[in-house]
Amino acid sequence: MTTYTVINPATEKPVEDVHEATVEETDAYVERAHAAFPAWRAVPPGERAALLRRFAAVVDAHVEELAEIEVRNAGHTWGNATWEAGNVRDCLNYYSAAPERLFGRQIPVAGGIDVTFHEPLGVVAVIVPWNFPMPILGWGMAPALAAGNCVVVKPAELTPLTAIRIGELAREAGLPDGVLTIIPGKGSVVGERFVTHALVRKVAFTGSTEVGKRIMRGCADQVKRCTLELGGKSANVVFADADLRAAAGAAPYAVFDNAGQDCCARSRILVERSAYDEFLGLLQEAVQGMRVLDPADRASEMGPLISAQQRDVVQGYVDEVEVAFTGPAPDGPGYWVPPTVVLAESTEQRIWREEVFGPVVAVLPFDDEADAIAMANDTEYGLSGSIFTGDVGKALRVARGIEAGNLSVNSNSAVRYWTPFGGYKQSGLGRELGPDAPNAFTEEKNVFIAH
Ligand code: NAP
Ligand code: MG
C-alpha cells in the first residue's frame, strides 16, 4: 500500500498520510460505481432530492470541521475555508431541486407525439485541482448526482483531505454504496484511468490548460464527454470615471485572494491613463494594508502558496521583472510570496501574458474604451474580468466586448452556484453551475409515439 504525506503549506509540517490508489483499485471503484448506477438512476426524483438535501444538512453540520481541515491542508484563510464548505452545502441544496425538475419537452409533430428525456450518463468522473478543493468538488458532484449519475472523484494530490471527509459525510447521509467515490491518487494514474476507462462516460476537469488539452485528446478516443475549466489571465478594467477608491480597494482581493491561486484572478489591471497615477497611489495603500498571516490566525486575509514548487514558479516570474511595491508576508517556514504589484513595460512580457497563479498583478494604462477592450482580449484566455466605471452604458458595452465567460461590473463578485460559469477560448469548454448544469450530465433522448 503506497501512502504519501500531505503538508501544511503555512508551516511545512506534515498533516496526514494518505493512501494513493493504483490503476487496479481505480478500476475496481469505477466498476463498483457502474454496478450502483441502475439502482441510483431508479431512485424516484423526490427521494433522490431528499437524499441530496440530507447530504447538504450533514455537510452543514460539519462546516467548521471541514474549514479547519482546509486551513491546515491548503493554507486557506478561515473566512475562505468556511465559505468553501458552505458552498458545498449550498450547491447540494440548490441541485437537490433538480431531480424533480429534469424536464424534457413535448414537441409538435404530425401523426403522434414527440417527447424528450434527460437521461443520466452513467459513471461520471470529476478531477479536482488543489486551489479550491471543496467548491470544485461540489460544482461537479452536486448536479451530476442530481441528474442520476454515479460520481467518481480524484482530488488533487496536495489537497485530498476535505474530499475524503465529504465522501464519508455522503455515506453518513445515506447515499448508497458506490454512488459517490473519492479516489485519492496521482493524476497520471487515477486521472488518466478516468479518461481511458470505457465505463466512465464523462470527465469534468478543472486545472491547467496543458492537462486539460491532454484530457480532451484522450476523451476523443471514446468520444467521451468532457468539460474543461482551465486557466485565466483576466483583466480588471478601471475607467477614470469610476469610484477610484472603491476600485483600488477591491483590486487586491480580486487577484490576491487565495494567494492568487484562482483561475478567475484579475491578474492584469488596465487603468485609463488619466487616472493611472491616482489609482496606483490608492492601490499601494490597499496592498500594503493587507493582513498576510498564517491562516491558523483568523485575522489572516491571505495565506501561503500551496507548495514549494508553486512558490518557486511564482518567484521565477517576479525575479524577471521590476517590482513596484509589495504587501507584507511572514518570515520563517511556509511557502510565502507577498502580494506583489508590477508595472508592466509591454504586453509581450510573460508577466502580462501567462497565468502566474500566485499573488502577482501586472498593471498597464490604456487610452480609451476601444483600447481597453482590445487589450483585455489580447490573450488566449477568457475566463473572467471586472469593469469599474460610473457609466452604465459604457459598462455594458465593455462587458459585451470582452471575450470572457464571467464579468463583474463595479465588483469582483465570486462565482455564484446559481449562475453559469465557464471560459471562452482556452479557458475552457462547456459551462458549470447555474440552472442548466444538470443537463450537462445527461443525454437528451427523443421519442416519437405514433397515434
Ligand atoms: P494540473 O496538473 O492540471 O492538476 C489538476 C488536477 O488534474 C489534479 O487533480 C491533478 O492530479 C490532475 N492531473 C494531472 N495530470 C493529469 C493527467 N495526465 N490526467 C488526468 N488528471 C491529471 O494542475 P497543477 O499542476 O496542480 O497546477 C499547475 C497550473 O495549473 C497552476 O499553476 C495554474 O496555472 C493552473 N491551475 C488552474 C486551475 C483552475 O482552476 N483553472 C486550478 C489549478 C491549477 P495531481 O494532483 O496528481 O497532479
Ligand atoms: Mg500538474
Side-chain angles (χ1 to χ4, degrees), residues 123-129 133-145 150-156 163 180-183 190-191 194 200 202-206 215 227 432 441:
V123 180
V124 164
V126 182
I127 300 178
V128 181
M134 283 192 277
I136 293 170
L137 165 61
W139 304 352
M141 145 186 104
L145 291 171
C150 291
V151 178
V152 290
V153 178
K154 196 204 89 65
L180 173 68
T181 314
I182 310 297
I183 314 176
V190 179
F194 288 169
V200 175
K202 172 168 176 165
V203 176
F205 172 82
T206 304
I215 285 176
T227 48
E432 296 190 288
F441 292 99

mmCIF file of all heavy atoms in Angstrom, residues 123-129 133-145 150-156 163 180-183 190-191 194 200 202-206 215 227 432 441:
data_model
loop_
_atom_site.group_PDB
_atom_site.id
_atom_site.type_symbol
_atom_site.label_atom_id
_atom_site.label_comp_id
_atom_site.label_asym_id
_atom_site.label_seq_id
_atom_site.Cartn_x
_atom_site.Cartn_y
_atom_site.Cartn_z
ATOM 1 N N VAL A 123 -21.444 6.505 -15.124
ATOM 2 C CA VAL A 123 -20.380 6.920 -14.208
ATOM 3 C C VAL A 123 -19.731 8.185 -14.764
ATOM 4 O O VAL A 123 -19.320 8.231 -15.918
ATOM 5 C CB VAL A 123 -19.314 5.818 -14.035
ATOM 6 C CG1 VAL A 123 -18.211 6.294 -13.078
ATOM 7 C CG2 VAL A 123 -19.953 4.533 -13.537
ATOM 8 N N VAL A 124 -19.684 9.206 -13.923
ATOM 9 C CA VAL A 124 -19.099 10.491 -14.305
ATOM 10 C C VAL A 124 -17.898 10.749 -13.402
ATOM 11 O O VAL A 124 -17.963 10.507 -12.191
ATOM 12 C CB VAL A 124 -20.160 11.598 -14.122
ATOM 13 C CG1 VAL A 124 -19.532 12.961 -14.112
ATOM 14 C CG2 VAL A 124 -21.223 11.492 -15.212
ATOM 15 N N ALA A 125 -16.792 11.222 -13.989
ATOM 16 C CA ALA A 125 -15.584 11.496 -13.203
ATOM 17 C C ALA A 125 -15.388 12.992 -13.020
ATOM 18 O O ALA A 125 -15.597 13.766 -13.955
ATOM 19 C CB ALA A 125 -14.360 10.904 -13.903
ATOM 20 N N VAL A 126 -14.995 13.363 -11.821
ATOM 21 C CA VAL A 126 -14.661 14.765 -11.531
ATOM 22 C C VAL A 126 -13.203 14.805 -11.100
ATOM 23 O O VAL A 126 -12.812 14.107 -10.154
ATOM 24 C CB VAL A 126 -15.572 15.335 -10.419
ATOM 25 C CG1 VAL A 126 -15.236 16.802 -10.160
ATOM 26 C CG2 VAL A 126 -17.048 15.194 -10.793
ATOM 27 N N ILE A 127 -12.391 15.590 -11.801
ATOM 28 C CA ILE A 127 -10.975 15.753 -11.451
ATOM 29 C C ILE A 127 -10.793 17.160 -10.896
ATOM 30 O O ILE A 127 -11.109 18.150 -11.560
ATOM 31 C CB ILE A 127 -10.063 15.513 -12.674
ATOM 32 C CG1 ILE A 127 -10.255 14.085 -13.204
ATOM 33 C CG2 ILE A 127 -8.589 15.756 -12.299
ATOM 34 C CD1 ILE A 127 -9.437 13.755 -14.448
ATOM 35 N N VAL A 128 -10.313 17.230 -9.664
ATOM 36 C CA VAL A 128 -10.321 18.479 -8.893
ATOM 37 C C VAL A 128 -8.885 18.977 -8.701
ATOM 38 O O VAL A 128 -7.996 18.178 -8.391
ATOM 39 C CB VAL A 128 -10.988 18.225 -7.515
ATOM 40 C CG1 VAL A 128 -11.052 19.492 -6.691
ATOM 41 C CG2 VAL A 128 -12.386 17.620 -7.688
ATOM 42 N N PRO A 129 -8.646 20.275 -8.855
ATOM 43 C CA PRO A 129 -7.314 20.824 -8.593
ATOM 44 C C PRO A 129 -7.169 21.200 -7.110
ATOM 45 O O PRO A 129 -8.130 21.098 -6.349
ATOM 46 C CB PRO A 129 -7.297 22.076 -9.471
ATOM 47 C CG PRO A 129 -8.706 22.562 -9.428
ATOM 48 C CD PRO A 129 -9.571 21.321 -9.324
ATOM 49 N N PRO A 133 -10.369 23.013 -3.407
ATOM 50 C CA PRO A 133 -10.735 21.588 -3.322
ATOM 51 C C PRO A 133 -12.218 21.361 -3.053
ATOM 52 O O PRO A 133 -12.817 20.471 -3.675
ATOM 53 C CB PRO A 133 -9.884 21.077 -2.161
ATOM 54 C CG PRO A 133 -8.732 22.026 -2.086
ATOM 55 C CD PRO A 133 -9.264 23.361 -2.500
ATOM 56 N N MET A 134 -12.810 22.143 -2.168
ATOM 57 C CA MET A 134 -14.223 21.874 -1.843
ATOM 58 C C MET A 134 -15.192 22.395 -2.892
ATOM 59 O O MET A 134 -16.052 21.644 -3.370
ATOM 60 C CB MET A 134 -14.563 22.413 -0.457
ATOM 61 C CG MET A 134 -14.029 21.520 0.655
ATOM 62 S SD MET A 134 -14.708 21.947 2.272
ATOM 63 C CE MET A 134 -13.634 23.292 2.761
ATOM 64 N N PRO A 135 -15.143 23.683 -3.268
ATOM 65 C CA PRO A 135 -16.134 24.160 -4.237
ATOM 66 C C PRO A 135 -16.115 23.380 -5.545
ATOM 67 O O PRO A 135 -17.178 22.997 -6.055
ATOM 68 C CB PRO A 135 -15.735 25.624 -4.463
ATOM 69 C CG PRO A 135 -15.033 26.017 -3.217
ATOM 70 C CD PRO A 135 -14.322 24.775 -2.744
ATOM 71 N N ILE A 136 -14.931 23.115 -6.071
ATOM 72 C CA ILE A 136 -14.880 22.478 -7.394
ATOM 73 C C ILE A 136 -15.394 21.040 -7.316
ATOM 74 O O ILE A 136 -16.038 20.553 -8.251
ATOM 75 C CB ILE A 136 -13.465 22.610 -7.995
ATOM 76 C CG1 ILE A 136 -13.208 24.101 -8.296
ATOM 77 C CG2 ILE A 136 -13.308 21.771 -9.252
ATOM 78 C CD1 ILE A 136 -11.783 24.461 -8.660
ATOM 79 N N LEU A 137 -15.170 20.384 -6.192
ATOM 80 C CA LEU A 137 -15.808 19.078 -5.974
ATOM 81 C C LEU A 137 -17.329 19.231 -6.010
ATOM 82 O O LEU A 137 -18.032 18.492 -6.713
ATOM 83 C CB LEU A 137 -15.351 18.511 -4.623
ATOM 84 C CG LEU A 137 -16.164 17.336 -4.058
ATOM 85 C CD1 LEU A 137 -16.119 16.151 -5.001
ATOM 86 C CD2 LEU A 137 -15.659 16.953 -2.669
ATOM 87 N N GLY A 138 -17.836 20.224 -5.273
ATOM 88 C CA GLY A 138 -19.289 20.419 -5.190
ATOM 89 C C GLY A 138 -19.915 20.763 -6.531
ATOM 90 O O GLY A 138 -20.993 20.255 -6.871
ATOM 91 N N TRP A 139 -19.226 21.599 -7.321
ATOM 92 C CA TRP A 139 -19.789 22.042 -8.602
ATOM 93 C C TRP A 139 -19.942 20.891 -9.580
ATOM 94 O O TRP A 139 -20.830 20.911 -10.433
ATOM 95 C CB TRP A 139 -18.918 23.127 -9.245
ATOM 96 C CG TRP A 139 -18.685 24.332 -8.386
ATOM 97 C CD1 TRP A 139 -19.284 24.623 -7.183
ATOM 98 C CD2 TRP A 139 -17.772 25.395 -8.636
ATOM 99 N NE1 TRP A 139 -18.791 25.802 -6.689
ATOM 100 C CE2 TRP A 139 -17.870 26.297 -7.551
ATOM 101 C CE3 TRP A 139 -16.874 25.673 -9.684
ATOM 102 C CZ2 TRP A 139 -17.101 27.472 -7.489
ATOM 103 C CZ3 TRP A 139 -16.112 26.835 -9.616
ATOM 104 C CH2 TRP A 139 -16.231 27.722 -8.523
ATOM 105 N N GLY A 140 -19.046 19.889 -9.474
ATOM 106 C CA GLY A 140 -19.170 18.725 -10.341
ATOM 107 C C GLY A 140 -20.141 17.703 -9.767
ATOM 108 O O GLY A 140 -21.075 17.247 -10.432
ATOM 109 N N MET A 141 -19.923 17.385 -8.497
ATOM 110 C CA MET A 141 -20.652 16.281 -7.867
ATOM 111 C C MET A 141 -22.150 16.559 -7.744
ATOM 112 O O MET A 141 -22.977 15.675 -8.033
ATOM 113 C CB MET A 141 -19.984 16.048 -6.510
ATOM 114 C CG MET A 141 -20.838 15.635 -5.365
ATOM 115 S SD MET A 141 -19.866 15.605 -3.836
ATOM 116 C CE MET A 141 -20.436 17.117 -3.041
ATOM 117 N N ALA A 142 -22.528 17.760 -7.319
ATOM 118 C CA ALA A 142 -23.936 18.001 -6.975
ATOM 119 C C ALA A 142 -24.861 17.883 -8.197
ATOM 120 O O ALA A 142 -25.835 17.121 -8.155
ATOM 121 C CB ALA A 142 -24.093 19.350 -6.274
ATOM 122 N N PRO A 143 -24.603 18.585 -9.308
ATOM 123 C CA PRO A 143 -25.512 18.428 -10.455
ATOM 124 C C PRO A 143 -25.430 17.043 -11.091
ATOM 125 O O PRO A 143 -26.430 16.538 -11.617
ATOM 126 C CB PRO A 143 -25.049 19.515 -11.437
ATOM 127 C CG PRO A 143 -23.671 19.877 -11.038
ATOM 128 C CD PRO A 143 -23.576 19.613 -9.561
ATOM 129 N N ALA A 144 -24.244 16.412 -11.034
ATOM 130 C CA ALA A 144 -24.101 15.075 -11.628
ATOM 131 C C ALA A 144 -24.930 14.057 -10.855
ATOM 132 O O ALA A 144 -25.633 13.228 -11.451
ATOM 133 C CB ALA A 144 -22.630 14.664 -11.654
ATOM 134 N N LEU A 145 -24.869 14.108 -9.527
ATOM 135 C CA LEU A 145 -25.671 13.201 -8.703
ATOM 136 C C LEU A 145 -27.159 13.480 -8.901
ATOM 137 O O LEU A 145 -27.974 12.557 -9.015
ATOM 138 C CB LEU A 145 -25.319 13.358 -7.223
ATOM 139 C CG LEU A 145 -23.930 12.873 -6.779
ATOM 140 C CD1 LEU A 145 -23.665 13.300 -5.333
ATOM 141 C CD2 LEU A 145 -23.800 11.361 -6.929
ATOM 142 N N CYS A 150 -23.642 8.203 -11.167
ATOM 143 C CA CYS A 150 -22.724 7.858 -10.089
ATOM 144 C C CYS A 150 -21.420 8.609 -10.354
ATOM 145 O O CYS A 150 -21.015 8.772 -11.505
ATOM 146 C CB CYS A 150 -22.476 6.359 -10.048
ATOM 147 S SG CYS A 150 -23.957 5.475 -9.509
ATOM 148 N N VAL A 151 -20.788 9.089 -9.284
ATOM 149 C CA VAL A 151 -19.667 10.009 -9.445
ATOM 150 C C VAL A 151 -18.405 9.431 -8.802
ATOM 151 O O VAL A 151 -18.441 8.979 -7.659
ATOM 152 C CB VAL A 151 -20.006 11.376 -8.811
ATOM 153 C CG1 VAL A 151 -18.829 12.338 -8.920
ATOM 154 C CG2 VAL A 151 -21.239 11.985 -9.493
ATOM 155 N N VAL A 152 -17.319 9.436 -9.570
ATOM 156 C CA VAL A 152 -16.002 9.122 -9.005
ATOM 157 C C VAL A 152 -15.165 10.400 -9.045
ATOM 158 O O VAL A 152 -15.223 11.154 -10.013
ATOM 159 C CB VAL A 152 -15.289 7.981 -9.768
ATOM 160 C CG1 VAL A 152 -15.980 6.644 -9.512
ATOM 161 C CG2 VAL A 152 -15.207 8.253 -11.262
ATOM 162 N N VAL A 153 -14.429 10.650 -7.973
ATOM 163 C CA VAL A 153 -13.720 11.927 -7.824
ATOM 164 C C VAL A 153 -12.247 11.676 -7.569
ATOM 165 O O VAL A 153 -11.895 10.866 -6.712
ATOM 166 C CB VAL A 153 -14.284 12.714 -6.618
ATOM 167 C CG1 VAL A 153 -13.518 14.021 -6.421
ATOM 168 C CG2 VAL A 153 -15.773 12.976 -6.785
ATOM 169 N N LYS A 154 -11.404 12.378 -8.318
ATOM 170 C CA LYS A 154 -9.982 12.405 -7.967
ATOM 171 C C LYS A 154 -9.619 13.776 -7.442
ATOM 172 O O LYS A 154 -9.548 14.746 -8.177
ATOM 173 C CB LYS A 154 -9.080 12.092 -9.163
ATOM 174 C CG LYS A 154 -7.677 11.750 -8.680
ATOM 175 C CD LYS A 154 -6.591 11.976 -9.692
ATOM 176 C CE LYS A 154 -6.015 13.359 -9.654
ATOM 177 N NZ LYS A 154 -5.308 13.689 -8.399
ATOM 178 N N PRO A 155 -9.396 13.894 -6.125
ATOM 179 C CA PRO A 155 -8.935 15.172 -5.602
ATOM 180 C C PRO A 155 -7.472 15.379 -5.995
ATOM 181 O O PRO A 155 -6.801 14.427 -6.406
ATOM 182 C CB PRO A 155 -9.068 15.004 -4.087
ATOM 183 C CG PRO A 155 -9.113 13.541 -3.821
ATOM 184 C CD PRO A 155 -9.512 12.848 -5.095
ATOM 185 N N ALA A 156 -6.980 16.599 -5.886
ATOM 186 C CA ALA A 156 -5.568 16.856 -6.158
ATOM 187 C C ALA A 156 -4.731 16.161 -5.091
ATOM 188 O O ALA A 156 -5.135 16.054 -3.935
ATOM 189 C CB ALA A 156 -5.305 18.355 -6.158
ATOM 190 N N ALA A 163 -12.058 16.355 0.570
ATOM 191 C CA ALA A 163 -12.842 15.475 -0.318
ATOM 192 C C ALA A 163 -13.075 14.126 0.354
ATOM 193 O O ALA A 163 -14.181 13.576 0.297
ATOM 194 C CB ALA A 163 -12.122 15.301 -1.657
ATOM 195 N N LEU A 180 -21.101 7.808 -4.744
ATOM 196 C CA LEU A 180 -20.062 8.847 -4.736
ATOM 197 C C LEU A 180 -18.803 8.214 -4.163
ATOM 198 O O LEU A 180 -18.806 7.745 -3.026
ATOM 199 C CB LEU A 180 -20.490 10.037 -3.859
ATOM 200 C CG LEU A 180 -19.406 11.104 -3.652
ATOM 201 C CD1 LEU A 180 -19.103 11.850 -4.955
ATOM 202 C CD2 LEU A 180 -19.833 12.106 -2.570
ATOM 203 N N THR A 181 -17.731 8.200 -4.961
ATOM 204 C CA THR A 181 -16.490 7.574 -4.501
ATOM 205 C C THR A 181 -15.333 8.552 -4.661
ATOM 206 O O THR A 181 -15.087 9.051 -5.761
ATOM 207 C CB THR A 181 -16.174 6.296 -5.317
ATOM 208 O OG1 THR A 181 -17.364 5.508 -5.425
ATOM 209 C CG2 THR A 181 -15.084 5.488 -4.647
ATOM 210 N N ILE A 182 -14.646 8.816 -3.559
ATOM 211 C CA ILE A 182 -13.471 9.693 -3.597
ATOM 212 C C ILE A 182 -12.241 8.795 -3.739
ATOM 213 O O ILE A 182 -12.045 7.872 -2.939
ATOM 214 C CB ILE A 182 -13.366 10.522 -2.291
ATOM 215 C CG1 ILE A 182 -14.697 11.211 -1.957
ATOM 216 C CG2 ILE A 182 -12.212 11.515 -2.375
ATOM 217 C CD1 ILE A 182 -15.185 12.235 -2.948
ATOM 218 N N ILE A 183 -11.433 9.045 -4.754
ATOM 219 C CA ILE A 183 -10.278 8.187 -5.041
ATOM 220 C C ILE A 183 -9.000 9.032 -5.067
ATOM 221 O O ILE A 183 -8.587 9.521 -6.117
ATOM 222 C CB ILE A 183 -10.455 7.451 -6.395
ATOM 223 C CG1 ILE A 183 -11.868 6.841 -6.510
ATOM 224 C CG2 ILE A 183 -9.376 6.393 -6.564
ATOM 225 C CD1 ILE A 183 -12.152 6.180 -7.849
ATOM 226 N N VAL A 190 -4.743 7.792 -11.498
ATOM 227 C CA VAL A 190 -6.206 7.764 -11.328
ATOM 228 C C VAL A 190 -6.874 8.645 -12.387
ATOM 229 O O VAL A 190 -7.843 8.238 -13.038
ATOM 230 C CB VAL A 190 -6.592 8.224 -9.907
ATOM 231 C CG1 VAL A 190 -8.109 8.211 -9.736
ATOM 232 C CG2 VAL A 190 -5.921 7.350 -8.854
ATOM 233 N N GLY A 191 -6.335 9.862 -12.564
ATOM 234 C CA GLY A 191 -6.930 10.796 -13.531
ATOM 235 C C GLY A 191 -6.889 10.243 -14.944
ATOM 236 O O GLY A 191 -7.888 10.263 -15.667
ATOM 237 N N PHE A 194 -9.453 7.530 -15.520
ATOM 238 C CA PHE A 194 -10.806 8.035 -15.779
ATOM 239 C C PHE A 194 -10.986 8.305 -17.271
ATOM 240 O O PHE A 194 -12.050 8.070 -17.841
ATOM 241 C CB PHE A 194 -11.063 9.343 -15.017
ATOM 242 C CG PHE A 194 -11.233 9.190 -13.522
ATOM 243 C CD1 PHE A 194 -11.232 10.320 -12.701
ATOM 244 C CD2 PHE A 194 -11.419 7.943 -12.937
ATOM 245 C CE1 PHE A 194 -11.402 10.206 -11.336
ATOM 246 C CE2 PHE A 194 -11.592 7.825 -11.561
ATOM 247 C CZ PHE A 194 -11.584 8.956 -10.760
ATOM 248 N N VAL A 200 -16.397 5.024 -17.748
ATOM 249 C CA VAL A 200 -16.538 6.434 -17.361
ATOM 250 C C VAL A 200 -17.038 7.194 -18.582
ATOM 251 O O VAL A 200 -16.387 7.213 -19.626
ATOM 252 C CB VAL A 200 -15.201 7.028 -16.861
ATOM 253 C CG1 VAL A 200 -15.333 8.520 -16.590
ATOM 254 C CG2 VAL A 200 -14.721 6.289 -15.620
ATOM 255 N N LYS A 202 -18.119 10.504 -18.748
ATOM 256 C CA LYS A 202 -17.811 11.935 -18.861
ATOM 257 C C LYS A 202 -16.717 12.272 -17.861
ATOM 258 O O LYS A 202 -16.669 11.702 -16.767
ATOM 259 C CB LYS A 202 -19.060 12.778 -18.563
ATOM 260 C CG LYS A 202 -18.754 14.280 -18.465
ATOM 261 C CD LYS A 202 -19.983 15.157 -18.460
ATOM 262 C CE LYS A 202 -19.525 16.612 -18.256
ATOM 263 N NZ LYS A 202 -20.560 17.580 -18.567
ATOM 264 N N VAL A 203 -15.847 13.202 -18.250
ATOM 265 C CA VAL A 203 -14.840 13.725 -17.333
ATOM 266 C C VAL A 203 -15.072 15.229 -17.192
ATOM 267 O O VAL A 203 -15.082 15.957 -18.183
ATOM 268 C CB VAL A 203 -13.404 13.477 -17.854
ATOM 269 C CG1 VAL A 203 -12.380 14.110 -16.925
ATOM 270 C CG2 VAL A 203 -13.138 11.974 -18.001
ATOM 271 N N ALA A 204 -15.296 15.663 -15.965
ATOM 272 C CA ALA A 204 -15.377 17.096 -15.677
ATOM 273 C C ALA A 204 -14.060 17.478 -15.024
ATOM 274 O O ALA A 204 -13.749 17.054 -13.911
ATOM 275 C CB ALA A 204 -16.551 17.391 -14.748
ATOM 276 N N PHE A 205 -13.256 18.242 -15.754
ATOM 277 C CA PHE A 205 -11.889 18.544 -15.316
ATOM 278 C C PHE A 205 -11.726 20.026 -15.006
ATOM 279 O O PHE A 205 -12.159 20.876 -15.781
ATOM 280 C CB PHE A 205 -10.888 18.145 -16.410
ATOM 281 C CG PHE A 205 -9.479 18.603 -16.128
ATOM 282 C CD1 PHE A 205 -8.658 17.876 -15.280
ATOM 283 C CD2 PHE A 205 -8.981 19.777 -16.692
ATOM 284 C CE1 PHE A 205 -7.365 18.305 -15.001
ATOM 285 C CE2 PHE A 205 -7.690 20.214 -16.422
ATOM 286 C CZ PHE A 205 -6.879 19.473 -15.576
ATOM 287 N N THR A 206 -11.057 20.322 -13.915
ATOM 288 C CA THR A 206 -10.612 21.687 -13.626
ATOM 289 C C THR A 206 -9.133 21.638 -13.308
ATOM 290 O O THR A 206 -8.706 20.808 -12.499
ATOM 291 C CB THR A 206 -11.370 22.282 -12.431
ATOM 292 O OG1 THR A 206 -12.764 22.218 -12.690
ATOM 293 C CG2 THR A 206 -10.983 23.744 -12.209
ATOM 294 N N ILE A 215 -6.467 15.784 -21.641
ATOM 295 C CA ILE A 215 -7.695 15.057 -21.311
ATOM 296 C C ILE A 215 -8.669 15.085 -22.485
ATOM 297 O O ILE A 215 -9.273 14.078 -22.851
ATOM 298 C CB ILE A 215 -8.301 15.631 -20.020
ATOM 299 C CG1 ILE A 215 -7.459 15.135 -18.844
ATOM 300 C CG2 ILE A 215 -9.777 15.250 -19.859
ATOM 301 C CD1 ILE A 215 -7.838 15.657 -17.511
ATOM 302 N N THR A 227 -15.965 18.320 -19.881
ATOM 303 C CA THR A 227 -15.999 19.768 -19.701
ATOM 304 C C THR A 227 -14.675 20.158 -19.080
ATOM 305 O O THR A 227 -14.096 19.399 -18.293
ATOM 306 C CB THR A 227 -17.148 20.231 -18.789
ATOM 307 O OG1 THR A 227 -17.152 19.435 -17.616
ATOM 308 C CG2 THR A 227 -18.492 20.128 -19.468
ATOM 309 N N GLU A 432 -20.341 25.206 -16.176
ATOM 310 C CA GLU A 432 -20.764 24.548 -14.941
ATOM 311 C C GLU A 432 -21.731 25.473 -14.223
ATOM 312 O O GLU A 432 -21.914 26.628 -14.596
ATOM 313 C CB GLU A 432 -19.548 24.284 -14.055
ATOM 314 C CG GLU A 432 -18.567 23.318 -14.693
ATOM 315 C CD GLU A 432 -17.487 22.862 -13.728
ATOM 316 O OE1 GLU A 432 -16.611 23.680 -13.400
ATOM 317 O OE2 GLU A 432 -17.536 21.691 -13.299
ATOM 318 N N PHE A 441 -24.929 16.791 -17.533
ATOM 319 C CA PHE A 441 -24.617 15.432 -17.080
ATOM 320 C C PHE A 441 -25.681 14.443 -17.555
ATOM 321 O O PHE A 441 -25.933 13.431 -16.919
ATOM 322 C CB PHE A 441 -24.479 15.405 -15.557
ATOM 323 C CG PHE A 441 -23.260 16.150 -15.076
ATOM 324 C CD1 PHE A 441 -23.359 17.447 -14.603
ATOM 325 C CD2 PHE A 441 -22.002 15.554 -15.130
ATOM 326 C CE1 PHE A 441 -22.235 18.136 -14.181
ATOM 327 C CE2 PHE A 441 -20.868 16.238 -14.705
ATOM 328 C CZ PHE A 441 -20.986 17.543 -14.233
#
